[in-house]
Amino acid sequence: MNSISDIAASAGARFIEAIKAPFKLIGRCFGKLVQVTSSVINYLSGRSVNAEQSQAASKTLSSRTVATNTDLTGTDSTGKISTEKLEEGVPDNVKTAFEYCLELYLNLMEELDKKVYQIHTARFVISSRLDIDPEKITRNSIDRAITLLKNVNKTLDLGFSDKFFVIPPDSPSNNAEFINILTTFQQQLESLLPTNRPDKYSHFNSHYPVRLLQQEIDQLTETNCADKDKWQRCGERLKEQFAFDEPYIRELCALKYVPEPDERAPEADSGQFIYLEARLSDLFDTIDNL
């Protein structure tokens, strides 16, 4: 049996613990409160003891949006950190500038199609005849080719006189005079377009990547996309496409065009090209500064 002194000591210890318990509870609650407050302050200020949870100090709270395809770790389905968001959504001037520049771009290229058609016609006529044994080229074939080349010469104002295209009826059967016309015409035509452009990138095919980009911009605009990276990637793609097209378009714009009576000359000249170039430059500066 415990002594009276042991019982008294035990009772005293319990009494002391009972007095201390509320203070311990208050201390734990206060500690939790300090920890939570510290975490909130660290988050808002961009500091964190965990590098994976740190936020850029320049971000505002409104820009800390989470993509729909992200999980609780802040990564998307590909394992990459979510892309940066624009604070107030995409500015209207960016959408308008993209739409306007793409419209100018495509309109200019469509106008240039008239000049390109003449060039392709001449190239086809020349290459198809030069691929044949000269002695096997018939007089009818020569006359059709000469008619087409004379039309291209007049339309693009290449400077050949009518006398240049004259082939005497009694010309030798080896068609040397006709071959000379073809090669001379070819040299003049190619000298007007010195830019080397791969065959697979014909003028028509150049429309395709621009139209694809236009569709993508339309989709971003319709969804009011605030993904900064997507807008900047579109800007980079447009910049690369224009860098590829620019030398070729510049040369085409410089070509003269003499329309047939009652026909309209293409509205594709150096002035129109310079205007497009200036508008694209403004757009690229805006995109770079998003």
Side-chain angles (χ1 to χ4, degrees), residues 146 150 153 159-168 177 180-181:
I146 291 297
K150 287 175 69 174
N153 172 62
F160 292 107
S161 65
D162 290 340
K163 186 178 179 180
F164 171 77
F165 295 100
V166 174
I167 299 177
E177 293 183 35
N180 180 62
I181 289 174

Side-chain angles (χ1 to χ4, degrees), residues 222-260:
E222 290 172 3
T223 59
N224 197 29
C225 178
D227 191 326
K228 178 178 177 180
D229 288 349
K230 288 185 178 180
W231 287 99
Q232 288 185 325
R233 282 197 298 270
C234 287
E236 287 300 318
R237 284 169 52 195
L238 182 57
K239 188 182 298 185
E240 291 173 1
Q241 183 62 38
F242 183 70
F244 177 78
D245 286 333
E246 183 268 336
Y248 187 66
I249 292 178
R250 187 186 295 274
E251 291 165 6
L252 287 173
C253 285
L255 287 180
K256 294 181 180 180
Y257 189 97
V258 182
E260 295 292 332

Side-chain angles (χ1 to χ4, degrees), residues 204-224:
F204 174 79
N205 289 335
S206 294
H207 294 205
Y208 186 66
V210 180
R211 292 192 184 282
L212 275 182
L213 187 56
Q214 187 181 47
Q215 292 175 6
E216 187 170 340
I217 293 298
D218 289 343
Q219 186 175 12
L220 293 178
T221 300
E222 290 172 3
T223 59
N224 197 29

Side-chain angles (χ1 to χ4, degrees), residues 37-49 55 64:
T37 304
S38 177
S39 297
V40 171
I41 292 174
N42 286 338
Y43 178 78
L44 294 177
S45 62
R47 297 191 302 271
S48 176
V49 294
Q55 303 289 331
R64 298 178 191 276

Side-chain angles (χ1 to χ4, degrees), residues 23 36 73 85 123 136 159 181 287:
F23 294 98
V36 171
T73 65
K85 303 296 178 181
R123 284 176 173 170
K136 294 182 179 179
I181 289 174
I287 292 296

